[in-house]
Amino acid sequence: MPGIALTTDIIVGFPGETEDEFSETISLVAEVGYDDAFTFKYSPRDGTPATRMRGGVPDDVAGERLERLIAAVRGGARRRNVGLVGTAHEVLVEGKAKRGDLLQGRTRTNKVALFPGSDAWIGTYRSVRFTGTTGSTFTAWPLERAGELAVVG
């Protein structure tokens, strides 16, 4: 399905998780190509059946697996996002960016873009062209500014 964005939640270090099973998770992440994933290290919760399961994964092993999982998700997302530089998108202007004198907007696929514009745009939809990416956030240029060219890099 063109233009779809997929995210997921993944817990590593669940009781009984083997290194082979974790490797299958990494393979799945690469094959699916998630745009983002909310990743967590398993932590026991009183009253849940999992607290009675054998084969607990040591905390340091679970932590190391979590780091590898985050790197896999971010690496794939970065590769896909670099491919979006130069493309045009509609964004909902959410407000002022945390840094600088820019606005922040979000696409329908949850991509965050920072771009110059008027505070009057907040709460409206605008068209922008992605001009760069850090891997997770995009810089962009509003397409409403006639006669001005965006630098694609």
Side-chain angles (χ1 to χ4, degrees):
M1 177 179 250
I4 193 171
L6 294 174
T7 63
T8 190
D9 294 1
I10 303 173
I11 296 174
V12 300
F14 193 80
E17 178 187 67
T18 66
E19 183 61 33
D20 285 344
E21 290 169 334
F22 174 73
S23 293
E24 289 179 18
T25 300
I26 294 294
S27 293
L28 177 72
V29 164
E31 186 175 334
V32 170
Y34 292 106
D35 288 85
D36 199 4
F38 299 95
T39 56
F40 308 92
K41 187 168 51 167
Y42 169 77
S43 57
R45 298 286 188 254
D46 288 337
T48 63
T51 61
R52 297 186 300 276
M53 293 177 71
R54 292 188 178 146
V57 176
D59 192 58
D60 61 330
V61 172
E64 187 271 334
R65 288 178 183 171
L66 180 60
E67 288 177 17
R68 284 192 283 157
L69 176 61
I70 290 169
V73 170
R74 286 184 181 165
R78 175 182 296 276
R79 284 187 294 281
R80 280 183 301 289
N81 286 346
V82 165
L84 293 175
V85 173
T87 60
H89 299 268
E90 181 184 59
V91 296
L92 172 61
V93 183
E94 297 177 315
K96 300 289 280 178
K98 294 177 184 168
R99 299 185 308 270
D101 192 28
L102 299 173
L103 296 174
Q104 177 175 308
R106 194 172 300 264
T107 70
R108 292 181 189 274
T109 57
N110 209 33
K111 306 287 187 197
V112 174
L114 307 178
F115 50 91
S118 165
D119 288 356
W121 292 0
I122 295 171
T124 67
Y125 287 95
R126 297 290 166 169
S127 293
V128 300
R129 183 170 310 281
F130 289 167
T131 58
T133 183
T134 63
S136 58
T137 301
F138 291 89
T139 54
W141 193 257
L143 294 177
E144 284 85 356
R145 295 187 176 187
E148 296 186 59
L149 298 176
V151 177
V152 178

